[in-house]
Amino acid sequence: MEKILIADQDEINLMVTEMVLREVGYDVSAVSDYDDCVRMLKECQFDLLLLLGFESSQSTVFRLLEEIRANPAISWIKVTMMVSSSVRTDISNAYRLGVINFIKKPSLPEKLIQKVRDALRIRKKSTILIVDDDPVNLMSASALFNICYNVITAETGAAALEIIKSEKPDLLLMDLHMPDMDGFDVMNRLSEQEGGSRIPVIVMTGDEDLDTEAEIFQSGAMDYLSKPLVMQIAIHRVRRVIELSHLQNDLKEEVKKKTKELMITNNRLQSLSDQTIFALAGAIDAKHSYTNGHSRRVARYAREIARRVGKTQTEQKEIYSVALLHDVGKIAIPDGIIDKPAKLTDEEYEIIKSHTTKGYEILKTISVMPILYYGARWHHERYDGTGYPDGKKGGEIPEIARIICVADCYDAMSSDRSYRKALPQNFVREEIENGLGTQFDPEIGRIMLEMIDEDPDYTMCGREKPEQ
């Protein structure tokens, strides 16, 4: 539980604020005397100091902050202030003394809670690398920022680049005109270093012409400061650039995190989808003993044909999934018709043929893979247009269905059926060759013939070689 110390001379304001923050789960302590603040900070480690009633005692608050920042044991404490919009406050001085954000009065509880959460989320003290060849300017800039930030200094651009190799500051504050290597040279070299492009740059310069200003931004700087530095402006601009840089980096990390989470989720969904397809294909094959393994074998042949046609890995995987479910419509066909060993009647044959449209009806609503029904509906279409259910011909038949058609016919002939044993390989080859241009797409059919010719032992179908 994060611990917050509230300091305010107004007892009612103190009580209300304490109640609001306790309600959302913070461990809250309160003091009404600023003199007790340092003692409480020393006695117990707090995550945030919330100063209220700022407008009534600015000098007291600044003395308190100076005392806190001068004490190494508590100088790191995060500080947020509540200020009134009706009273002019020395915001720049507050920033210089390490105040990280402000809450305007009057403030709704939701706004107060959000500001406190924002302050608690702020990372460790930011680091600034200040580069200037003038020792006086370097010392002055260091004194200006060393209360709010960790300050590293370098007197040359080359020295700054060496520092950046081992330590990545949150901001590079750099003089534009330096001997040997000026600010433009440093920015060009910075982009070449690993992680260098992520370091925001503010340029310090005495130049006031528009061309120099334009070149500063074109070279990659996020802002510039005119010399001599004006404390209020310098503090505001440095703070703004660091906060913006942190926000951009946080957003990039969040995008990477969400992208990784999305990929994991997609992989899980894909795995679930694959398992569902395999389970459904297994249920189809298991319904009849003679079709055991048929869907997987057809899918395997179809994927190999797709590979030889030149399809990508993703396309091959899609074709495999489509082929696995090409016979899904047979779930709705009576067992007595499918297992009938004798010749089917005309009526029974029409019922068998309906497995194509029944498969289509089952698969057409699966939007994650809109082509899933192609094989189920059209794997019995013929290249010459005499197939079913739609009488499509040639290129009207989806390529996936033309591939599954020849793969399905090969497995049907090379496997045992209820009405016959597996056919000899030479007969299977002859039937496919004779069907080129009539039943089968000629190019796809020739690829199937190549696969048969590369399988002289007739083992591609996963069975022992039948009697010739």
Side-chain angles (χ1 to χ4, degrees):
M1 183 183 296
E2 291 165 309
K3 302 187 68 172
I4 301 173
L5 177 62
I6 308 174
D8 193 355
Q9 294 172 332
D10 186 330
E11 295 283 354
I12 295 177
N13 196 27
L14 197 65
M15 181 181 66
V16 172
T17 305
E18 181 179 0
M19 182 181 65
V20 169
L21 295 178
R22 283 187 182 277
E23 188 67 25
V24 292
Y26 293 115
D27 182 357
V28 182
S29 298
V31 292
S32 59
D33 187 339
Y34 289 145
D35 292 335
D36 291 335
C37 231
V38 175
R39 177 182 57 80
M40 287 287 290
L41 291 173
K42 289 178 179 178
E43 290 177 358
C44 184
Q45 182 169 319
F46 291 92
D47 298 292
L48 178 69
L49 171 60
L50 178 57
L51 295 175
L52 311 177
F54 175 79
E55 67 278 1
S56 63
S57 53
Q58 290 190 37
S59 60
T60 302
V61 170
F62 286 140
R63 285 199 302 271
L64 170 65
L65 288 174
E66 287 170 353
E67 185 176 352
I68 290 172
R69 298 313 178 196
N71 190 321
I74 58 175
S75 61
W76 50 269
I77 188 71
K78 298 174 183 176
V79 180
T80 292
M81 283 185 174
M82 184 172 282
V83 297
S84 174
S85 57
S86 63
V87 177
R88 185 176 181 84
T89 56
D90 191 351
I91 301 296
S92 295
N93 201 26
Y95 277 141
R96 184 184 64 82
L97 291 169
V99 176
I100 55 178
N101 62 8
F102 296 87
I103 304 171
K104 289 284 188 180
K105 288 183 179 181
S107 179
L108 294 173
E110 294 81 2
K111 186 68 172 178
L112 169 66
I113 292 167
Q114 185 58 55
K115 284 286 189 177
V116 167
R117 285 176 177 164
D118 290 344
L120 289 169
R121 277 201 296 262
I122 291 176
R123 62 189 69 195
K124 63 179 178 63
K125 201 172 183 181
S126 297
T127 299
I128 300 177
L129 173 56
I130 303 176
V131 188
D132 199 314
D133 62 305
D134 186 326
V136 175
N137 290 340
L138 199 60
M139 182 175 63
S140 176
S142 300
L144 179 60
F145 295 108
N146 65 8
I147 294 180
C148 304
Y149 306 102
N150 295 318
V151 176
I152 308 171
T153 61
E155 294 186 2
T156 66
L161 292 172
E162 283 299 315
I163 291 172
I164 291 171
K165 287 181 180 179
S166 57
E167 183 172 354
K168 296 295 185 288
D170 297 282
L171 175 74
L172 176 58
L173 181 61
M174 176 177 57
D175 185 23
L176 182 62
H177 297 296
M178 297 180 289
D180 299 328
M181 185 183 295
D182 64 17
F184 295 122
D185 294 330
V186 173
M187 285 187 280
N188 290 333
R189 295 275 297 276
L190 185 64
S191 62
E192 300 171 0
Q193 289 196 17
E194 183 179 356
S197 59
R198 298 185 64 178
I199 301 173
V201 178
I202 295 180
V203 170
M204 298 181 291
T205 179
D207 296 344
E208 296 182 357
D209 61 286
L210 295 178
D211 289 341
T212 300
E213 182 179 340
E215 190 175 359
I216 286 171
F217 287 115
Q218 289 171 359
S219 297
M222 291 187 68
D223 206 344
Y224 76 96
L225 293 170
S226 297
K227 287 186 173 183
L229 299 184
V230 178
M231 183 185 74
Q232 292 89 339
I233 295 175
I235 289 175
H236 279 295
R237 289 192 171 180
V238 165
R239 181 183 177 85
R240 181 186 62 81
V241 168
I242 289 178
E243 288 180 348
L244 178 60
S245 176
H246 285 171
L247 177 61
Q248 290 173 336
N249 291 334
D250 288 345
L251 286 174
K252 288 177 183 177
E253 290 302 316
E254 188 65 19
V255 168
K256 286 171 61 178
K257 178 184 175 183
K258 293 300 182 183
T259 301
K260 184 178 180 180
E261 291 174 355
L262 183 60
M263 289 178 64
I264 292 173
T265 300
N266 285 343
N267 289 338
R268 286 175 178 169
L269 289 175
Q270 184 62 58
S271 177
L272 179 61
S273 175
D274 292 344
Q275 291 172 25
T276 302
I277 290 173
F278 291 148
L280 187 54
I284 298 166
D285 289 355
K287 187 176 181 185
H288 308 285
S289 58
Y290 80 86
T291 61
N292 187 32
H294 169 70
S295 296
R296 285 180 180 267
R297 290 194 299 274
V298 171
R300 192 172 70 245
Y301 306 146
R303 181 174 59 193
E304 176 59 20
I305 293 172
R307 186 189 70 80
R308 296 186 182 214
V309 168
K311 300 296 183 184
T312 65
Q313 290 284 343
T314 299
E315 290 170 328
Q316 293 172 41
K317 189 176 185 301
E318 286 181 342
I319 290 172
Y320 185 85
S321 297
V322 172
L324 273 175
L325 298 182
H326 77 283
D327 270 344
V328 67
K330 287 185 177 178
I331 289 177
I333 305 300
D335 294 351
I337 296 178
I338 293 179
D339 293 334
K340 185 177 180 180
K343 184 177 179 181
L344 298 175
T345 65
D346 290 345
E347 183 181 357
E348 290 170 335
Y349 183 56
E350 289 301 316
I351 293 174
I352 282 285
K353 288 168 62 178
S354 72
H355 81 278
T356 56
T357 53
K358 291 181 184 299
Y360 164 74
E361 292 297 328
I362 292 170
L363 301 176
K364 70 178 183 179
T365 58
I366 301 178
S367 59
V368 293
M369 190 183 292
I371 65 171
L372 199 58
Y373 68 82
Y374 283 18
R377 185 175 183 95
W378 293 308
H379 70 282
H380 280 294
E381 298 288 356
R382 293 172 58 100
Y383 198 73
D384 61 5
T386 61
Y388 63 88
D390 300 316
K392 289 180 177 290
K393 63 184 295 185
E396 296 175 354
I397 307 168
E399 186 181 33
I400 289 178
R402 283 180 270 146
I403 290 173
I404 294 173
C405 174
V406 69
D408 182 45
C409 288
Y410 172 79
D411 192 71
M413 289 187 286
S414 62
S415 304
D416 292 339
R417 292 282 159 142
S418 59
Y419 49 88
R420 60 151 174 80
K421 290 291 184 181
L423 301 172
Q425 187 183 42
N426 59 346
F427 181 85
V428 173
R429 189 191 190 287
E430 185 177 346
E431 286 294 301
I432 291 177
E433 187 171 27
N434 290 338
L436 298 180
T438 53
Q439 184 174 0
F440 308 119
D441 179 308
E443 296 302 318
I444 293 172
R446 289 190 185 94
I447 291 175
M448 189 75 248
L449 292 176
E450 290 176 3
M451 292 165 59
I452 294 172
D453 292 340
E454 293 171 8
D455 180 38
D457 294 330
Y458 204 8
T459 58
M460 182 168 59
C461 57
R463 298 169 53 87
E464 294 183 0
K465 182 179 178 182
E467 293 291 334
Q468 297 288 328

